[in-house]
Amino acid sequence: MFSTPQIVAALVRLEVTHVVSVPDSTIGPWESGIAAAGIRLIRVCREGEAWAVAMGLHLGGATPVVMIQCTGLFESGDALRNVLHDWQVPIFAIIGYRSYLNQETLPGDTCLVFTEPVLDAWKVDYRLLTRPDQADQIVEHALACRAAGRAGAIVVAEGKA
Amino acid sequence: MSGMSGRSAVEVVRRWRGPGDVVITTMGTARDWMAGPMTPLDVVLVPSSMGQATSLGLGIALAQPTRRVVVLNGDGSLLMNLGSLVTIAAAGADNLVVVVFANGVYEITGAQPVPGVGVVDWVAMAGAAGIRSAERIETLEAWEREAPRVLAGPGPTLVSLTIEPEAALAGVGPRSPGPAAARGRALREALTGG
């Protein structure tokens, strides 16, 4: 969906210092461009780590973004709850929405059933982007969340598992 | 048994932490840490998502590379986030110290045994994960002697303390010292100067 230059441009405009990530087949190819832009990539072993690492970065004065697939969102619910709601740390995330654009690899992928309800359940202020020409909304939504002092997310439609 | 109590081991850290060091406590260590004097650089991770203290410590350590970050973690908590050892090593956080209070039980829920008690080797596990410095300390006397070196040496570091569970503390959890969001904002101000 989004090209590496589109993602990197958004992160640079947001002055992101660290990307805390577990890759998938959409997010992974962005990594080299992110690193080339001078943004530190922190690879975690599971997505639950990502929220607490990002919390520490934020408390230490950095500007992190969590970048994971929706399956990692499912995995990391309690960590997200603690960071975003107990501690109210305004972490922004980019979340890949597996199988949204097609289900050739995983017919009937239940990510389509649960991703948005889970985001709603965790009270994450998200915006779903499904077309490459919506890249400007990454920055727009992130800045709106930042100005409000709240967490938020962009959900990026993915075309394959 | 070593005779080293969690409370006495915590007090050794309090005595030897540097003035600019961040100390993160959670679960039983938070309960014991709050029994003594606190500083603006103390992070009482209560409420928590169990296991996340090491990940929080990594984030602070990366954002504040000139400070030492010391995480006082239980063995049950670390079991819940074992991959964080690999993440810490891979990130090269040489200013991060993880102190494992290895008492073999989930103390605050009533001292039920953790999985693998008596079998899990934290030093071997840390070394296999790529943690630069890993060692086990089994007595309070040794911890009092070695803590200045362990806490100040190049990391990332894991030190496993052999802690004797205290029956009187079984089921005694930490109470939140106040609204978490306000404490987080205060810590950020302390770390960044505003």
Side-chain angles (χ1 to χ4, degrees):
Chain A
M1 234 268 288
F2 293 127
S3 68
T4 300
Q6 284 178 303
I7 291 296
V8 170
L11 297 175
V12 168
R13 200 166 150 208
L14 292 169
E15 300 182 323
V16 169
T17 58
H18 298 74
V19 170
V20 188
S21 182
V22 177
D24 69 0
S25 55
T26 294
I27 292 168
W30 298 338
E31 288 189 354
S32 58
I34 290 168
I39 298 168
R40 174 108 190 244
L41 185 68
I42 309 297
R43 291 187 180 86
V44 292
C45 296
R46 57 178 277 256
E47 291 84 352
E49 291 180 64
W51 301 99
V53 171
M55 173 180 169
L57 287 163
H58 173 84
L59 295 179
T63 306
V65 159
V66 168
M67 190 176 287
I68 57 177
Q69 193 186 60
C70 59
T71 52
L73 170 75
F74 304 155
E75 188 278 339
S76 61
D78 188 56
L80 177 158
R81 175 200 59 76
N82 182 241
V83 170
L84 269 52
H85 296 294
D86 287 343
W87 289 81
Q88 298 175 30
V89 179
I91 300 300
F92 196 77
I94 296 176
I95 298 170
Y97 198 153
R98 194 176 76 177
S99 300
Y100 186 92
L101 296 175
N102 75 60
Q103 299 178 63
E104 290 175 6
T105 305
L106 293 174
D109 188 356
T110 55
C111 286
L112 299 173
V113 176
F114 294 111
T115 297
E116 292 175 83
V118 164
L119 284 163
D120 289 334
W122 289 121
K123 302 187 188 304
V124 176
D125 179 7
Y126 70 93
R127 191 172 293 181
L128 171 60
L129 305 183
T130 60
R131 302 189 316 272
D133 64 3
Q134 293 176 309
D136 286 349
Q137 293 187 38
I138 300 172
V139 172
E140 179 185 309
H141 186 50
L143 291 178
C145 290
R146 189 179 293 175
R150 67 170 180 266
I154 287 292
V155 181
V156 178
E158 296 184 347
K160 57 183 180 179
Chain B
M1 288 296 184
S2 70
M4 179 158 45
S5 73
R7 287 182 287 189
S8 59
V10 156
E11 292 309 315
V12 173
V13 176
R14 200 189 310 273
R15 188 156 59 249
W16 290 108
R17 61 95 62 94
D21 293 353
V22 175
V23 176
I24 299 172
T25 56
T26 186
M27 302 286 176
T29 65
R31 176 201 60 215
D32 295 341
W33 190 261
M34 287 188 286
M38 305 273 287
T39 85
L41 296 179
D42 297 346
V43 185
V44 174
L45 189 56
V46 178
S48 71
S49 172
M50 187 173 176
Q52 296 298 334
T54 45
S55 299
L56 174 65
L58 173 61
I60 295 175
L62 293 174
Q64 295 277 318
T66 62
R67 291 183 191 274
R68 178 82 44 181
V69 179
V70 183
V71 180
L72 309 188
N73 209 20
D75 46 2
S77 290
L78 190 51
L79 283 170
M80 204 169 272
N81 195 4
L82 267 182
S84 67
L85 294 179
V86 178
T87 305
I88 287 165
D94 60 7
N95 55 333
L96 181 60
V97 180
V98 176
V99 184
V100 182
F101 285 63
N103 62 5
V105 296
Y106 296 113
E107 186 174 64
I108 69 171
T109 59
Q112 301 85 1
V114 300
V117 61
V119 175
V120 171
D121 183 335
W122 290 110
V123 176
M125 200 172 283
I131 299 289
R132 176 189 294 184
S133 172
E135 62 187 286
R136 177 182 301 104
I137 293 180
E138 298 189 322
T139 67
L140 181 61
E141 294 72 22
W143 180 225
E144 286 175 331
R145 184 176 64 247
E146 302 299 336
R149 173 185 58 78
V150 170
L151 295 177
T157 296
L158 181 144
V159 56
S160 174
L161 304 181
T162 304
I163 301 294
E164 184 169 3
E166 293 183 69
L169 294 177
V172 181
R175 296 182 66 87
S176 170
R183 288 187 284 131
R185 287 192 295 271
L187 176 68
R188 192 167 195 263
E189 289 176 10
L191 290 173
T192 64

